[in-house]
Amino acid sequence: MLIWIVLAVVLLPLVALALAVRPVLARLPRLRRAAVALQRRAAEAETLRESAEALQARAEGVQRQLDTAQQRLAVIKAKRG
């Protein structure tokens, strides 16, 4: 009788654990694909961030050129003036 109680106390939690883990193990391939897709998106986001930084630097350079051109135009107008 004691052996049955011990077996029930040991085996029932193991069966419950196996039943709880089974759906998680069944989802692992989908989770792995999702993780790969997220890593790919992160790489794309990093590439876009780098492109945005380069574009920002270029815009700042163009802005400096525009400021210089406006200053020169102001000097030319002042000389004519």
Side-chain angles (χ1 to χ4, degrees):
M1 178 77 171
L2 183 61
I3 292 176
W4 288 108
I5 294 172
V6 170
L7 284 175
V9 167
V10 171
L11 289 180
L12 285 178
L14 287 177
V15 170
L17 179 63
L19 290 174
V21 168
R22 188 173 157 242
V24 173
L25 292 177
R27 290 182 187 169
L28 281 180
R30 286 190 304 177
L31 291 173
R32 185 171 297 122
R33 283 193 301 270
V36 168
L38 285 174
Q39 288 174 344
R40 190 170 40 247
R41 288 255 175 129
E44 290 172 2
E46 179 65 23
T47 302
L48 288 174
R49 184 190 63 77
E50 291 171 357
S51 297
E53 288 176 353
L55 184 60
Q56 178 69 29
R58 176 129 170 86
E60 289 170 358
V62 169
Q63 182 63 43
R64 283 192 301 271
Q65 289 176 351
L66 179 62
D67 292 341
T68 303
Q70 286 176 340
Q71 289 172 357
R72 288 179 182 169
L73 183 61
V75 168
I76 291 171
K77 284 184 179 180
K79 286 182 180 178
R80 285 187 184 173

